[in-house]
Amino acid sequence: MSIPSKRLNSVNSVGLVKTKELTLFEEEEFYFESGAKLSPIDVAYETYGTLNSKKDNVVLICHPLTASAHAAGWYTKDDKRPGLWDPLIGPGKAIDTNQYYVICSNILGGCYGTTGPASINPETGKEYGLNFPVVTIKDMVNLQKALLDRLGIKQLAAVIGGSMGGMQVLRWAVEYPDFVEKIIPIATSGRLKARTMAYNQLAIDAIKNDPDWQNGDYYDSNRKPTKGMALARKIGMITYRTSEAFQSEFGRDRIEDKDFYSLDNQFQINSYLDYQGEKFMNRFDANSFIYLTKAMDLFDLSRDYKSFEAALSKIEAENLLITIDSDKLFPPEESMEIVEGIQKVGGKIKHHQINSEVGHDSFLIEFNKLDDPIRNFL
Amino acid sequence: MSIPSKRLNSVNSVGLVKTKELTLFEEEEFYFESGAKLSPIDVAYETYGTLNSKKDNVVLICHPLTASAHAAGWYTKDDKRPGLWDPLIGPGKAIDTNQYYVICSNILGGCYGTTGPASINPETGKEYGLNFPVVTIKDMVNLQKALLDRLGIKQLAAVIGGSMGGMQVLRWAVEYPDFVEKIIPIATSGRLKARTMAYNQLAIDAIKNDPDWQNGDYYDSNRKPTKGMALARKIGMITYRTSEAFQSEFGRDRIEDKDFYSLDNQFQINSYLDYQGEKFMNRFDANSFIYLTKAMDLFDLSRDYKSFEAALSKIEAENLLITIDSDKLFPPEESMEIVEGIQKVGGKIKHHQINSEVGHDSFLIEFNKLDDPIRNFL
C-alpha cells in the first residue's frame, strides 16, 4: 500500500512549480574527471521551500537514472502526476519544506534541461552526440556543487537519493565531507557488481543494435532508435521488480482475443512490458541513456582511494542507509558492504531495511515505507 | 568442481558416435496440437548402448533449448568436446549404456537435423521460416513417440531431461503414462511464471528488432540476424548463472588496454557476454530459437486438464525431481509446485536438491552432483 500522491490543492503540496535554468561555466571551463572540459553548462533545477538567511537549511535530492529535476509539485493544474518524490517533499512531509529548502537538479549528461549528449554544442551548432565527454558520478556531483556555489549555499543539511541517486549521495559524502551534514543513500551500491554491469550491457546493446541509433548521430534524422530504447527499458523493468510482483500481478493471464497457437505476444506480462517500453522510448534520449548507464558501470567509491574503506573513512556526515529486502538490482547484501565498511573505519551509520514485495522500485512507489525513516533521521 | 569430460579413449566413453536420421510421416501427416499438419518430418537422433530383445531397456534423453541430439560421445577423434551429457552417459556411468539403450533426438522445431523453421518445405523448395506451425512441448513429445514407435520401442525405462528438456519429461509422463516407467525432470517448471516469460520476450524482441531478421525470411539473404541472436543469448546467460558466480569469476576486473573514460565495453564481464553471444549467433537458427522459446511460454502442464493437480494425477511413472538451490530461472519453489501437486493427488515423488553456486546451468556443468541421484534412482 502506498500513500496516494496528494492532489495539487492539498494543504501539504508544494503546489505549482517551475523548472529553473542556470548557465554555469560561461567563463572558466568545467573539468570532467577524464580531463575533458566543457563550457558553458546549463543546469535545470527545482527548489521547494525557503532558503534561510544562513543558507544552511538545504536538502539536496539526487535523482535516479531516467528522472529529471522534477522531484515534487505540479507543472500545471491539469498535470496527471506530480514530481517523482512528491509524497515525501512538502510542508509537513518527511522532507519538510517548512523547515528545509529542497533542491533537485537534473544530472550532468541527462536530457531534461541539464547539458548532455542531446544538447547543442555551441562550437558546432549541432548536438554533441557521442562527442560528449564520458560522465562519471563524480562529475555529476561536481556540477551539483557548482550549482550550489552559484546559489550561495554554504552547507547541505542533507543529501538524499535512491539507486543511481544514492551513488551520487555517497560520492557527495566522500568528496565534500565538511559540506554535508547528513546523507540518506537508498537502494544503492558503492560499486556495481558484475551482474548489474551485465544488465547494463544488455540495455546498451539493445540501443546500439538498433540501426536507427546511427552511431549516436540520429538527432537530425527522422529515424530514432525507439525499438532499441523500448527493449532497453524492458530489460531494466525486469530488474526493478520481483518475480513475485510480476507473478501476482500478471501470472499467466492472457491478452483477450489473442490466438494461443501464435508467435505473437499473448500474455499480460508481454503487454505490460511493451507498454513500459513504448512509454519510455520517446521520453528519453538514447545517447543520454547510454552515458548515464556507463556512469553507473564506472562508479566505484574506492577509485582514487587506497581501498573501499579508505574512501568511506572520508565521510563525516551522519548516515542513514536504506535497503529494500526484495531488491534484485541492488540487494541488501550489496549495500551492507557500505554499512560494514563504515563501521570498520569507526564511522557511524544507521541502517533501515524496508520490507517490500515490490523490489528495487519500492523507493519510487511505497512512499509510506520511506516516510518514517527519513522523517525521523532528518 | 565438475568431473572433467572423459577423453575419447577413456574406457567408459560411448566412443565415436554418429547422428542418425529417419524420415517420418511420409504417408500420413503429423498433426500439431494447433491442428496444423506437416509431412514428411525428419528426425535426427543418436543412440548409445544396445537395445535388448524385449525393447524395454530404453532411456530417452530430452535436450534443453539450444542443444541437439548429441548427448554423449565424440563425432571425431579431434573433437574438442563430447556430447552435452557425456559425463553421465556411458558404460558404467550414471546412465549406464551396459544396461540401457539411450536415445536422444533433436526436438521438433529445432535446427540440428529435425525438421524446423530452417528446413526446406518440399512444397515450395524454400525454408519454412515463419510458415512453420507453432510448436508446443506436447508436439515435441508426440514426435519423439512417433520415432520410438518406428524403432519398435514398447516401453521407456526412463525419460530424463533438464530445463526445457524437463518440460518434455513431464509432458511424457502425463500424456503417455503407461509407456514410461521412471522420469527425472531437472531444474524445470510445470508452467512458466510471468518473469520467465518476460525474459523470453526480451530475447525474442532482440531478434525481431534486428533488421537482418527480415521478418524471418533471411535464409536466402547475405544478412543474418547475428546481432539480435547475440543479444538474445546474452539475455539468456544472465538467467543461467547466479550473481555470485558472475561476481566471483569476473567481479569488476577490466579488459587490459581499454580506456577507463570510454563508452566501450571495458570489463571482463562484458567480454565474457560478448564471447557467449558470438559463439551462439552463428550456431543456431534465429527462427528456431523464437519457436522453441515460444513453446516454453505456451507450456502449461494443466492445459487440457481441469487443474494442475488433475494433470499430475495422470502420471504413473516413478518420479525423481531434481532442483538446484541457486537456480534463478526455475527456482526450487517453482518446481516444488510439481512435488506438492503430485503428493496432493497421492502420487509418489522423490525430490533431490543440488547445492550449487552456479545456478541453472549447474545441470550442464556440475555432473558430479547429478551422478549419484540419477544412478541411484535408475
Side-chain angles (χ1 to χ4, degrees):
Chain A
M1 291 237 312
S2 62
I3 298 176
S5 291
K6 301 291 183 285
R7 302 305 313 168
L8 170 58
N9 55 7
S10 152
V11 285
N12 60 357
S13 170
V14 299
L16 284 176
V17 298
K18 267 193 184 164
T19 306
K20 306 170 194 182
E21 283 211 11
L22 263 178
T23 302
L24 303 177
F25 299 95
E26 285 178 301
E27 311 292 316
E28 83 280 45
E29 311 242 32
F30 176 83
Y31 277 85
F32 288 76
E33 239 198 291
S34 63
K37 42 197 185 171
L38 208 65
S39 165
I41 295 184
D42 295 326
V43 181
Y45 67 103
E46 295 189 8
T47 66
Y48 324 109
T50 311
L51 188 60
N52 67 11
S53 55
K54 283 187 177 172
K55 300 192 171 186
D56 64 358
N57 69 329
V58 178
V59 172
L60 180 71
I61 306 293
C62 298
H63 71 70
L65 182 62
T66 68
S68 70
H70 191 38
W74 307 77
Y75 283 143
T76 68
K77 280 189 288 181
D78 305 321
D79 246 8
K80 282 189 188 151
R81 54 181 60 194
L84 196 69
W85 259 23
D86 187 81
L88 293 172
I89 302 168
K93 291 185 182 174
I95 302 167
D96 188 351
T97 50
N98 289 330
Q99 184 179 356
Y100 295 112
Y101 185 58
V102 179
I103 301 180
C104 182
S105 66
N106 185 217
I107 51 181
L108 180 62
C111 56
Y112 288 117
T114 293
T115 298
S119 304
I120 299 293
N121 177 350
E123 282 180 23
T124 63
K126 281 197 56 174
E127 291 82 359
Y128 286 102
L130 296 195
N131 294 317
F132 200 77
V134 167
V135 180
T136 66
I137 301 288
K138 199 189 268 187
D139 292 329
M140 296 173 193
V141 166
N142 286 340
L143 183 65
Q144 288 161 358
K145 178 66 165 57
L147 170 68
L148 298 177
D149 288 346
R150 169 70 73 90
L151 298 175
I153 312 297
K154 302 297 179 203
Q155 187 78 22
L156 284 174
V159 190
I160 310 176
S163 199
M164 196 174 84
M167 296 173 200
Q168 298 160 50
V169 171
L170 291 166
R171 185 53 84 195
W172 256 106
V174 169
E175 301 304 322
Y176 299 102
D178 52 8
F179 199 84
V180 182
E181 285 179 56
K182 292 180 179 177
I183 61 169
I184 310 181
I186 304 168
T188 193
S189 168
R191 47 187 169 184
L192 258 56
K193 290 201 184 295
R195 194 190 206 191
T196 320
M197 294 197 285
Y199 273 113
N200 285 348
Q201 180 179 357
L202 302 184
I204 291 175
D205 272 9
I207 297 169
K208 290 190 171 176
N209 277 2
D210 189 334
D212 292 342
W213 179 59
Q214 303 171 70
N215 206 30
D217 195 11
Y218 51 79
Y219 296 105
D220 294 336
S221 157
N222 290 329
R223 300 183 293 121
K224 303 271 188 285
T226 49
K227 281 185 180 181
M229 285 293 276
L231 180 52
R233 184 59 163 185
K234 295 181 209 179
I235 291 167
M237 289 311 301
I238 247 181
T239 69
Y240 300 155
R241 303 287 171 98
T242 61
S243 177
E244 293 73 20
F246 285 128
Q247 191 60 18
S248 68
E249 193 160 352
F250 305 108
R252 295 184 58 79
D253 293 349
R254 301 186 56 235
I255 307 167
E256 250 181 273
D257 300 329
K258 286 277 183 182
D259 283 343
F260 182 81
Y261 297 104
S262 156
L263 296 178
D264 292 343
N265 285 336
Q266 60 171 274
F267 294 99
Q268 290 291 348
I269 178 71
N270 303 141
S271 171
Y272 168 79
L273 288 177
D274 283 343
Y275 171 73
Q276 294 296 335
E278 271 163 39
K279 259 206 323 188
F280 183 68
M281 67 190 190
N282 288 313
R283 84 160 172 87
F284 211 83
D285 176 59
N287 287 336
S288 183
F289 183 87
I290 292 173
Y291 274 83
L292 301 182
T293 301
K294 274 288 169 189
M296 282 206 284
D297 276 2
L298 300 183
F299 179 64
D300 180 347
L301 211 52
S302 71
R303 199 155 39 81
D304 298 338
Y305 296 90
K306 280 184 186 161
S307 67
F308 198 69
E309 281 78 25
L312 294 174
S313 73
K314 304 285 290 180
I315 299 178
E316 294 175 18
E318 282 183 62
N319 249 288
L320 170 65
L321 184 126
I322 299 179
T323 53
I324 298 158
D325 62 353
S326 57
D327 193 334
K328 301 296 177 197
L329 189 60
F330 299 120
E333 312 86 81
E334 191 165 339
S335 309
M336 289 310 287
E337 180 187 43
I338 300 162
V339 176
E340 286 155 17
I342 288 180
Q343 286 169 342
K344 215 167 166 182
V345 299
K348 276 186 198 163
I349 184 162
K350 289 177 187 170
H351 172 229
H352 178 83
Q353 179 138 304
I354 288 173
N355 298 315
S356 169
E357 288 178 6
V358 170
H360 183 67
D361 263 1
S362 169
F363 86 98
L364 297 173
I365 296 173
E366 301 178 301
F367 299 109
N368 59 331
K369 295 184 179 176
L370 285 170
D371 196 289
D372 269 354
I374 292 179
R375 190 185 294 268
N376 296 336
F377 182 71
L378 290 182
Chain B
M1 291 239 308
S2 61
I3 299 175
S5 289
K6 301 292 182 287
R7 303 304 313 167
L8 170 58
N9 54 9
S10 153
V11 285
N12 60 358
S13 171
V14 299
L16 285 176
V17 299
K18 268 193 183 163
T19 305
K20 307 171 194 181
E21 284 210 10
L22 263 178
T23 302
L24 303 177
F25 298 97
E26 286 178 299
E27 311 292 315
E28 82 280 48
E29 310 241 34
F30 177 83
Y31 276 85
F32 288 77
E33 238 197 293
S34 63
K37 41 195 183 171
L38 208 65
S39 164
I41 295 183
D42 295 326
V43 181
Y45 67 105
E46 296 189 7
T47 65
Y48 324 108
T50 312
L51 187 61
N52 65 12
S53 55
K54 284 187 180 172
K55 298 192 172 186
D56 66 358
N57 68 329
V58 177
V59 172
L60 180 71
I61 306 293
C62 299
H63 71 69
L65 182 62
T66 68
S68 71
H70 191 38
W74 308 76
Y75 283 142
T76 68
K77 281 189 287 182
D78 305 322
D79 246 8
K80 284 191 185 148
R81 54 181 60 194
L84 196 68
W85 260 23
D86 186 82
L88 293 172
I89 301 167
K93 291 184 182 175
I95 302 166
D96 188 352
T97 50
N98 290 329
Q99 183 178 356
Y100 295 111
Y101 184 59
V102 179
I103 301 180
C104 181
S105 66
N106 186 217
I107 51 180
L108 181 62
C111 56
Y112 289 117
T114 294
T115 298
S119 303
I120 299 293
N121 178 350
E123 284 180 21
T124 64
K126 280 196 57 176
E127 291 82 0
Y128 287 102
L130 296 194
N131 294 317
F132 200 77
V134 167
V135 180
T136 66
I137 301 288
K138 199 189 269 188
D139 293 326
M140 296 173 193
V141 165
N142 286 341
L143 184 64
Q144 288 160 1
K145 178 67 164 57
L147 170 68
L148 297 177
D149 288 346
R150 169 71 70 92
L151 298 175
I153 312 295
K154 303 295 180 203
Q155 186 80 21
L156 285 174
V159 189
I160 310 175
S163 198
M164 195 174 83
M167 296 172 200
Q168 297 160 49
V169 171
L170 290 166
R171 185 53 84 195
W172 256 107
V174 169
E175 301 305 320
Y176 298 101
D178 51 8
F179 199 84
V180 182
E181 284 180 55
K182 293 180 179 177
I183 61 169
I184 310 181
I186 303 168
T188 195
S189 169
R191 46 186 170 186
L192 258 57
K193 290 200 184 297
R195 195 191 206 187
T196 319
M197 294 196 285
Y199 274 112
N200 285 348
Q201 181 179 357
L202 301 184
I204 291 175
D205 272 9
I207 296 169
K208 290 190 170 176
N209 276 2
D210 189 335
D212 291 342
W213 179 60
Q214 303 171 71
N215 207 30
D217 195 11
Y218 51 79
Y219 295 105
D220 294 334
S221 157
N222 290 327
R223 300 184 293 118
K224 303 271 188 285
T226 50
K227 282 185 178 181
M229 284 292 276
L231 179 52
R233 183 60 163 183
K234 294 181 209 178
I235 290 168
M237 289 310 302
I238 247 181
T239 69
Y240 300 155
R241 304 286 171 99
T242 62
S243 178
E244 293 73 20
F246 285 130
Q247 190 60 18
S248 68
E249 191 160 355
F250 305 109
R252 294 185 55 80
D253 294 348
R254 301 185 55 235
I255 305 167
E256 251 182 272
D257 300 330
K258 285 277 183 181
D259 283 344
F260 182 80
Y261 296 105
S262 157
L263 296 179
D264 292 343
N265 285 337
Q266 60 172 274
F267 294 99
Q268 290 291 348
I269 178 70
N270 303 139
S271 172
Y272 168 78
L273 288 177
D274 283 343
Y275 171 73
Q276 294 295 335
E278 273 163 38
K279 259 206 321 188
F280 183 67
M281 67 190 189
N282 288 313
R283 84 161 172 85
F284 211 82
D285 175 59
N287 288 336
S288 184
F289 183 87
I290 292 173
Y291 274 82
L292 300 182
T293 300
K294 274 288 169 187
M296 281 206 285
D297 277 1
L298 300 183
F299 178 63
D300 180 346
L301 210 52
S302 71
R303 200 156 38 81
D304 298 337
Y305 296 91
K306 280 187 187 160
S307 67
F308 198 68
E309 281 77 26
L312 294 174
S313 73
K314 303 285 290 181
I315 300 177
E316 294 176 17
E318 282 183 62
N319 249 288
L320 170 66
L321 183 126
I322 299 179
T323 53
I324 298 159
D325 62 351
S326 57
D327 194 333
K328 302 296 177 196
L329 189 61
F330 299 120
E333 313 86 82
E334 192 165 338
S335 310
M336 289 310 286
E337 180 187 40
I338 300 162
V339 176
E340 286 155 17
I342 288 180
Q343 287 169 341
K344 218 167 163 181
V345 298
K348 276 187 199 165
I349 184 162
K350 290 177 186 169
H351 171 228
H352 178 83
Q353 179 138 304
I354 288 174
N355 298 314
S356 169
E357 289 177 5
V358 169
H360 183 68
D361 263 0
S362 169
F363 86 99
L364 297 173
I365 297 173
E366 300 178 302
F367 300 109
N368 58 331
K369 295 183 178 176
L370 285 170
D371 195 291
D372 270 353
I374 292 179
R375 190 185 294 268
N376 295 336
F377 181 71
L378 289 183

